[in-house]
Amino acid sequence: GLDRSTLVIYMGDNGFSWGEHGLIDKRHFYEESVKVPLLVHCPELFQGCIKPLEMVQNIDIAPTILDQAGIPKPAQMPGMSFLPILQRKDLSNARERIFYEYYWEYDFPMTPTVFGVRTDQYKYIKYHGIWDRNELYDLENDPYEMYNLIGKEDKQEVIKSMLDSLYNWLETTNGLNIPLKPTDQPRWGDFKHKGEY
């Protein structure tokens, strides 16, 4: 079993854009917004001062804590322990991709419904409900996501594969049933129509 030493986890709420891509806010799938600070300390379990490149998500926090405490993760709980990543032991279960979903909100109308998938090399961003250009970035060669490769002929198979995995994931997570929320309050941020329902 594991040493039941104290595991300290420090994690920020979300990333935020301050002008990157001409945007402010956190409701998009660019690296500035989707990444969060995550520091983990437990010298009894793993060596410090490492910066693993494997992808983890906020849904992995609870399974990691349960793993360190020796408590089995409930079957219905999403996520997985990232202690093996920190211990640099068995990396065979490290994620090959992560998924993103954001559903349009009345109070933040500037951001449409967005879906995305990210691997170590590529990020695909798909917009729903607007006639706009989707995006593909080669994160290894373009870490700041400056060159959209969506129209490149030699990337179409990569895009199709990522799109298929995205829709398969949305199907299994009920994400294709886009939620509608009541909007029974007057507009507040739209000065032309402020106060109107």
Side-chain angles (χ1 to χ4, degrees), residues 4 13 28 41 50 52 58-59 65 100-101 114 117 126 147 149 157 168 170 192:
R4 304 294 175 233
D13 176 27
H28 52 76
H41 177 77
I50 61 171
N58 57 358
I59 59 173
I65 293 169
Y100 176 85
E101 60 186 330
V114 181
V117 57
K126 177 156 182 65
Y147 304 101
L149 305 176
E157 286 187 32
N168 288 338
L170 287 168
K192 183 176 180 182

Side-chain angles (χ1 to χ4, degrees), residues 103-120:
Y103 297 96
W104 180 87
E105 296 176 84
Y106 184 78
D107 291 333
F108 305 97
M110 69 294 275
T111 306
T113 295
V114 181
F115 302 113
V117 57
R118 184 195 194 280
T119 65
D120 288 334

Side-chain angles (χ1 to χ4, degrees), residues 112-132:
T113 295
V114 181
F115 302 113
V117 57
R118 184 195 194 280
T119 65
D120 288 334
Q121 182 170 3
Y122 292 108
K123 181 187 290 179
Y124 175 69
I125 302 171
K126 177 156 182 65
Y127 297 100
H128 181 81
I130 61 170
W131 191 260
D132 205 349

Side-chain angles (χ1 to χ4, degrees), residues 30 125-127 130-136 148-152:
Y30 296 118
I125 302 171
K126 177 156 182 65
Y127 297 100
I130 61 170
W131 191 260
D132 205 349
R133 195 168 201 209
N134 296 320
E135 300 172 52
L136 177 75
N148 185 0
L149 305 176
I150 200 73
K152 297 290 182 187

